[in-house]
Amino acid sequence: MKYADLIAKMTLEEKCSLLSGEGNFTTKSVKRLNIPGMFLSDGPHGLRKQAGAADHLGLNASLPATCCPTAATMANSWDPELGEELGKMLGEEAKAQGVSVLLGPGLNMKRSPLCGRNFEYFSEDPYLAGKMAAAYIRGIQSQGVAACPKHFAANSQETLRMHSDSVVDQRTFREIYLTGFEIAVKEGHPQSIMSAYNRINGKYANEDKELLRDILVDQWGFDGFVVTDWGGSNDRAEGLKCGNALEMPATGGNSDRELVAAVKAGTLSEDVIDQRLDEYLNVLFATVIPEDAPKEFDVDAHHATARKAAESTIVLLKNEDSILPLKAGTSVAVIGDFAQTPRYQGAGSSMVNPTKLDCALSVIKSGSGLKLVGFEPGFIRHGGADEAKKNTAVELAKNAEIVLMYMGLDEISESEGLDRKHMKIHQNQVDVLEAVAKVNPNVVVVLSGGAPIEAPWLDSCKAVVHGYLGGQAGAGAVVDVLTGKVNPSGKLAETWAMKYEDTPAYRHFPGTEATAEYREGLYIGYRYYQTAQVPVRFPFGYGLSYTTFAYADLRADDKSVTFTVTNTGSVPGAEIAQVYVSRKGGVVFRPEQELKGFVKVFLNPGECKTVTVELDDKAFRYFNVKTGKFEVESGDYEIRVGASCADIRLTATVAVKGTDAPAPYDLSKLPSYCSGKVSDVGDTEFEYLLGRPIPPAKWDRSAPLGMNDTFSQLFYAKRWIGRLVYAILTHLKNKAEAKGTPDLNILFIYNMPFRGVAKMMGGAFDMDMSAALVEIFNGHFFKGVGHLLSARSRMNKAKKATDLALAQAGNVKGEN
């Protein structure tokens, strides 16, 4: 241990005190030993350090910071170098605001397009997500600030996220849900990582030794510390044993006393506490912000970097008759509420208070070169018919050469704490689009949103420009694409299905009670659509340009792929060339093809470049459930190079020598997985893939409620008080959603286990008091109230004893 001598000077109480928060985002100090506290802050796409009272959901105002494009947006750039540059900027701002740990990036897999937090995650593909995350981490940590990738792992839904059990087979778990984290850890070397709320195959992620020690530390070489998601600790001592070091947020010292008691009872070794503390101290001292560090950053320069990032992410989805780019002097009618009030980020703990904010309408008016004939909102932002707004928009559209129709997902559609209910945008937006197109067919749709949507309305417009959630400078970047100042080069990092019912997890997302069954296995995103031959609206890796590119001269072996790309058009542009690997037959089922490399290359008209893409250890491997490790199957593999997963331009065959591992399956028992047609896998086949019985998906309504059951389950509580609490919470939740603004506090409580009361109230409750609350909900009102009062008395006495022990060790009372 690096800090063994320092740790030896601490009392047991002091050691335990350092392993949990002092506040919502701060950790404790030990002044007599010159051990400082640490400040952690949200920030996947910008810093969210709150100026006043801190909360974990982004409800209270935060200090101004640069709001960058979200991860879902940045992934469309396919540009790790740009991601590293953005990470460096985030780290610089974190250091300026005294933040030691930046809680990001997020790189959970997009199992379903309906996950409410998909805007915070990079991709449906683990290779692309991992490469982008590693770049962010390198950039952030170049500034002496620790990155904290999250949420580790298999956190694919917001519904019941603190309770749900992700039921997933080991091969899928390792190849899909862990590979992105593996790349991020091995290539980015993060100093911390955040464990997920959910269970994975029955174990809480924060209490999974195989995940947090065997895989993360022993196999991947992680040498930082693990922090819980906020309120994500279940059994504090068990989490510590399995690899978690820091519990957040503060529990008023209650969790610290649990650890002290466990050591004194002999159920937890003090050596484990020392080891976790050493992991934490190693990062703490490495990320101390120097007193002379700049307290400000260049707001204008950072805004320019955010705009540069946004420009590289914009995806041109349609450009009929080459209507874009628009020439200077073109008269335009701007329609759509999003042109005036931009959607540029999602809601929840990632919400940034921007230093500046571009608005499309203002940018068009000032210096775009376009002639604005007028603006009309056209529709009510959060849905609902308004014929007057629609009719006014239609009249305006008659007076312009081009209609710029700003559409998208509203705030309630994408937020931490709730999943989307469908893949549609509000029908009133579509109604306005179709009405406008009847009087002026030259409609260019500008989309905002962090996830795919159904687009049956595509025939009502000639072009679609998607800015995703482009951050504070995104609106200006989109206008530069519309006018041709920027040639769009973004490509989709996720597939757009024709309709939600076509998605592979349609029947099993989200898990609405005890479990979330990952019956689709490996087949998420393009892996499913291409293997099962399901038509899509836009394929993974797709994006148009104002120029064209040709591919030639492919040379490939099992180590690298080399080819040439030529700009065959008339304007400069960047092409994202993608390398996929395919293998037919063999002892394991596989998707049709899988992304194993990519490169973004900028070319002037007529320019040709030869590029090489390295094939790493992940290019040909699969996880063998019999050997318990990654293996390679001998044989011929097809290397495919293309402009998207559906636009393959070059192919070559390479011979690969494998590891000669035994076949892991009897493929005759896995017909759905062999064909890729996994939209409706039966119990018998899924059980064989799992290698164990399928756990019950439903709550046992006849059993008493337990500490890990949730407030949303109070509808079947034994007595009226529990059902009353449920009715109140449900009313408040529905009322907020009807207004179009999610109440994140209510959503959090609604999906929170009862133990969360002890973890999220700053020490006002402990676990015994939470247990008494459950007793009340189970129908034992007076008995539960008695236990609640006695538990509170015990907690207060224990707190005083801990204060005294810390004071006797030389600390100031109250530092615990």
Side-chain angles (χ1 to χ4, degrees), residues 5 8 28 125 352 428 537 565 690:
D5 292 343
K28 304 186 191 81
D125 183 85
V352 178
N428 63 342
R537 182 71 66 186
V565 183
L690 277 179

Side-chain angles (χ1 to χ4, degrees), residues 751-798:
N751 288 300
M752 184 175 73
F754 300 122
R755 63 173 164 82
V757 176
K759 301 298 183 180
M760 296 302 297
M761 291 188 66
F765 264 62
D766 66 6
M767 293 292 274
D768 286 343
M769 293 174 68
S770 293
L773 189 65
V774 173
E775 201 170 15
I776 293 170
F777 290 149
N778 278 325
H780 307 289
F781 181 81
F782 294 105
K783 186 177 179 182
V785 169
H787 287 161
L788 182 66
L789 295 174
S790 60
R792 181 169 181 80
S793 177
R794 289 195 305 272
M795 182 186 74
N796 289 336
K797 289 179 182 178

Side-chain angles (χ1 to χ4, degrees), residues 182-377:
E182 178 184 0
I183 295 170
V185 169
K186 289 183 175 179
E187 298 182 16
H189 306 288
Q191 292 172 292
S192 61
I193 196 166
M194 185 189 292
S195 58
Y197 282 131
N198 51 284
R199 295 179 176 100
I200 304 166
N201 294 322
K203 291 182 181 178
Y204 279 103
N206 193 59
E207 298 169 10
D208 190 333
K209 179 180 178 295
E210 181 182 15
L211 180 67
L212 299 185
R213 300 302 298 177
D214 300 348
I215 295 174
L216 180 62
V217 175
D218 297 341
Q219 295 179 25
W220 297 352
F222 176 72
D223 59 0
F225 74 88
V226 176
V227 59
T228 66
D229 202 342
W230 267 231
S233 174
N234 171 49
D235 183 321
R236 182 69 187 112
E238 187 63 24
L240 210 74
K241 292 176 188 175
C242 294
N244 168 267
L246 181 62
E247 178 186 21
M248 293 298 290
T251 60
N254 292 328
S255 296
D256 309 343
R257 288 186 283 277
E258 288 179 33
L259 296 182
V260 171
V263 170
K264 291 181 176 179
T267 57
L268 175 64
S269 168
E270 192 166 353
D271 290 342
V272 172
I273 288 179
D274 292 349
Q275 185 177 357
R276 296 293 93 79
L277 185 54
D278 190 68
E279 293 162 3
Y280 168 72
L281 291 175
N282 191 37
V283 177
L284 173 71
F285 287 117
T287 57
V288 172
I289 308 296
E291 289 186 8
D292 61 350
K295 301 298 188 290
E296 296 179 349
F297 55 89
D298 189 328
V299 170
D300 292 336
H302 285 200
H303 184 79
T305 299
R307 182 156 177 164
K308 171 186 171 183
E311 288 171 353
S312 73
T313 66
I314 294 166
V315 185
L316 180 61
L317 294 174
K318 181 180 181 180
N319 195 17
E320 185 180 324
D321 300 331
S322 297
I323 192 172
L324 295 177
L326 302 178
K327 295 178 180 178
T330 300
S331 65
V332 297
V334 177
I335 295 172
D337 186 51
F338 294 95
Q340 188 174 49
T341 307
R343 270 286 330 276
Y344 60 98
Q345 63 177 331
S349 61
S350 68
M351 187 174 288
V352 178
N353 178 17
T355 57
K356 300 181 175 186
L357 182 58
D358 287 352
C359 161
L361 199 56
S362 298
V363 175
I364 291 170
K365 288 177 180 177
S366 58
S368 70
L370 300 174
K371 180 183 176 183
L372 178 65
V373 301
F375 164 74
E376 288 296 338

Side-chain angles (χ1 to χ4, degrees), residues 478-489:
V478 168
V479 172
D480 280 351
V481 165
L482 293 173
T483 57
K485 293 178 183 177
V486 170
N487 186 355
S489 63

Side-chain angles (χ1 to χ4, degrees), residues 553-563 577-584 592-598 612-616 618-620 635-642 648-656:
D553 303 327
L554 175 62
R555 302 187 302 279
D557 57 28
D558 63 348
K559 298 292 189 294
S560 65
V561 181
T562 301
F563 53 94
Q578 301 150 47
V579 177
Y580 296 87
V581 172
S582 177
R583 171 159 169 76
K584 306 296 185 186
E592 170 64 27
Q593 60 183 6
E594 297 181 281
L595 181 74
K596 300 298 179 181
F598 58 89
T612 297
V613 177
E614 303 296 330
L615 296 176
D616 62 18
K618 299 161 194 68
F620 306 105
D636 290 340
Y637 291 75
E638 188 172 70
I639 307 297
R640 301 173 177 178
V641 178
I648 300 301
R649 307 288 184 87
L650 305 170
T651 61
T653 300
V654 299
V656 176

Side-chain angles (χ1 to χ4, degrees), residues 677-700:
K677 297 178 180 178
V678 293
S679 60
D680 194 17
V681 174
D683 289 355
T684 301
E685 190 173 357
F686 186 49
E687 280 197 350
Y688 179 74
L689 184 71
L690 277 179
R692 63 188 176 93
I694 302 169
K698 300 292 185 182
W699 292 315
D700 182 357

